[in-house]
Coordinates of all heavy atoms in Angstrom, one line a residue:
N29 N -72.9 29.6 -50.8 CA -73.3 30.9 -50.4 C -74.0 31.6 -51.6 O -73.9 31.2 -52.7 CB -72.0 31.8 -50.0 CG -71.1 32.0 -51.1 OD1 -71.4 32.7 -52.1 ND2 -69.9 31.3 -51.0
P30 N -74.8 32.6 -51.2 CA -75.7 33.3 -52.3 C -74.9 33.8 -53.5 O -75.4 33.8 -54.6 CB -76.3 34.4 -51.5 CG -76.4 33.9 -50.1 CD -75.1 33.1 -49.9
M31 N -73.6 34.3 -53.2 CA -72.9 34.9 -54.3 C -72.5 33.8 -55.3 O -72.6 34.0 -56.5 CB -71.6 35.6 -53.8 CG -70.8 36.3 -54.8 SD -69.3 37.1 -54.1 CE -70.1 38.3 -53.1
T32 N -72.0 32.7 -54.8 CA -71.6 31.6 -55.7 C -72.8 31.0 -56.4 O -72.8 30.7 -57.6 CB -70.9 30.5 -54.9 OG1 -69.7 31.1 -54.3 CG2 -70.5 29.3 -55.7
A33 N -73.9 30.9 -55.6 CA -75.1 30.3 -56.2 C -75.6 31.2 -57.3 O -76.1 30.6 -58.3 CB -76.2 30.1 -55.1
A34 N -75.6 32.5 -57.1 CA -76.1 33.4 -58.1 C -75.3 33.3 -59.4 O -75.9 33.3 -60.5 CB -76.1 34.8 -57.6
A35 N -74.0 33.1 -59.3 CA -73.2 33.0 -60.5 C -73.4 31.8 -61.3 O -73.6 31.8 -62.5 CB -71.7 33.1 -60.1
I36 N -73.5 30.6 -60.5 CA -73.8 29.4 -61.2 C -75.2 29.3 -61.8 O -75.4 28.8 -62.9 CB -73.6 28.2 -60.2 CG1 -72.1 28.2 -59.8 CG2 -74.0 26.9 -60.9 CD1 -71.8 27.1 -58.7
A37 N -76.2 29.9 -61.1 CA -77.5 29.9 -61.6 C -77.6 30.7 -62.9 O -78.3 30.3 -63.8 CB -78.5 30.6 -60.5
A38 N -76.9 31.8 -62.9 CA -76.9 32.7 -64.2 C -76.2 31.9 -65.3 O -76.7 31.9 -66.5 CB -76.1 34.0 -63.9
E39 N -75.1 31.2 -65.1 CA -74.5 30.4 -66.1 C -75.3 29.3 -66.6 O -75.4 29.0 -67.8 CB -73.1 29.9 -65.6 CG -72.4 29.2 -66.7 CD -71.0 28.7 -66.2 OE1 -70.6 29.0 -65.1 OE2 -70.3 27.9 -67.0
A40 N -76.0 28.6 -65.7 CA -76.8 27.4 -66.0 C -78.1 27.9 -66.7 O -78.7 27.1 -67.4 CB -77.1 26.6 -64.8
G41 N -78.6 29.1 -66.4 CA -79.9 29.5 -67.0 C -81.1 29.1 -66.3 O -82.2 29.1 -66.9
V42 N -81.0 28.9 -65.0 CA -82.2 28.5 -64.2 C -83.0 29.8 -63.9 O -82.5 30.9 -63.9 CB -81.9 27.8 -62.9 CG1 -81.3 26.4 -63.2 CG2 -81.0 28.6 -62.0
D43 N -84.3 29.6 -63.6 CA -85.1 30.8 -63.3 C -84.9 31.4 -61.9 O -85.1 32.5 -61.6 CB -86.6 30.4 -63.4 CG -86.9 30.0 -64.9 OD1 -86.5 30.7 -65.8 OD2 -87.6 28.9 -65.0
D44 N -84.5 30.5 -60.9 CA -84.4 31.0 -59.5 C -83.4 30.0 -58.8 O -83.1 28.9 -59.4 CB -85.7 31.0 -58.8 CG -85.7 31.9 -57.6 OD1 -84.6 32.5 -57.3 OD2 -86.8 32.1 -57.0
F45 N -83.0 30.4 -57.6 CA -82.1 29.5 -56.9 C -82.4 29.7 -55.4 O -82.9 30.7 -54.9 CB -80.6 29.8 -57.2 CG -80.1 31.1 -56.7 CD1 -79.6 31.3 -55.5 CD2 -80.2 32.2 -57.6 CE1 -79.2 32.6 -55.0 CE2 -79.8 33.5 -57.2 CZ -79.2 33.6 -55.9
L46 N -82.0 28.6 -54.7 CA -82.1 28.6 -53.2 C -80.7 28.3 -52.7 O -80.2 27.2 -52.9 CB -83.1 27.6 -52.7 CG -83.3 27.4 -51.2 CD1 -83.8 28.7 -50.6 CD2 -84.2 26.2 -50.8
A47 N -80.1 29.3 -52.0 CA -78.7 29.1 -51.6 C -78.7 28.6 -50.1 O -79.6 28.8 -49.4 CB -77.9 30.4 -51.7
Q48 N -77.5 28.1 -49.7 CA -77.3 27.6 -48.3 C -78.5 26.7 -47.9 O -79.0 26.8 -46.8 CB -77.1 28.8 -47.4 CG -75.8 29.6 -47.7 CD -75.6 30.8 -46.9 OE1 -76.6 31.4 -46.5 NE2 -74.4 31.2 -46.7
A49 N -78.9 25.9 -48.8 CA -80.1 25.1 -48.5 C -79.8 23.9 -47.7 O -78.8 23.2 -47.9 CB -80.7 24.6 -49.9
T50 N -80.6 23.6 -46.7 CA -80.6 22.4 -45.9 C -81.7 21.5 -46.4 O -82.6 21.9 -47.1 CB -80.9 22.7 -44.4 OG1 -82.2 23.3 -44.3 CG2 -79.8 23.8 -43.9
P51 N -81.6 20.2 -46.0 CA -82.7 19.3 -46.4 C -84.1 19.8 -46.0 O -85.1 19.6 -46.7 CB -82.3 18.0 -45.7 CG -80.8 18.0 -45.6 CD -80.5 19.5 -45.4
E52 N -84.2 20.4 -44.8 CA -85.4 20.9 -44.3 C -85.9 22.1 -45.2 O -87.1 22.2 -45.5 CB -85.3 21.4 -42.9 CG -85.0 20.4 -41.9 CD -83.6 19.9 -41.9 OE1 -82.7 20.5 -42.4 OE2 -83.4 18.8 -41.3
M53 N -85.0 22.9 -45.7 CA -85.4 24.0 -46.6 C -85.9 23.5 -47.9 O -86.8 24.0 -48.5 CB -84.2 25.0 -46.8 CG -83.8 25.7 -45.5 SD -82.2 26.6 -45.7 CE -82.7 27.9 -47.0
K54 N -85.2 22.5 -48.4 CA -85.7 21.9 -49.7 C -87.1 21.3 -49.6 O -88.0 21.5 -50.4 CB -84.8 20.7 -50.1 CG -83.3 21.2 -50.4 CD -82.5 19.9 -50.7 CE -81.0 20.3 -50.9 NZ -80.2 19.1 -51.2
L55 N -87.3 20.6 -48.5 CA -88.6 20.0 -48.2 C -89.7 21.1 -48.1 O -90.8 21.0 -48.6 CB -88.6 19.2 -46.9 CG -89.6 18.1 -46.7 CD1 -89.6 17.1 -47.9 CD2 -89.3 17.4 -45.4
S56 N -89.3 22.2 -47.4 CA -90.3 23.3 -47.2 C -90.7 24.0 -48.5 O -91.8 24.3 -48.7 CB -89.7 24.3 -46.2 OG -90.5 25.5 -46.1
L57 N -89.7 24.2 -49.4 CA -89.9 24.8 -50.7 C -90.9 23.9 -51.5 O -91.8 24.5 -52.1 CB -88.6 25.0 -51.4 CG -88.7 25.6 -52.8 CD1 -89.4 27.0 -52.8 CD2 -87.3 25.7 -53.5

């Protein structure tokens, strides 16, 4: 979920994140 994703993204230091991603969403991005 976006809340969990945001916390892990902040700890890992990535520039952005895509939460609740499906294979189709990854492909689209």
Side-chain angles (χ1 to χ4, degrees):
N29 62 70
M31 184 180 296
T32 300
I36 295 175
E39 183 179 355
V42 295
D43 297 314
D44 201 355
F45 66 89
L46 177 65
Q48 296 176 330
T50 63
E52 292 77 16
M53 292 171 66
K54 297 176 186 179
L55 202 59
S56 176
L57 178 58

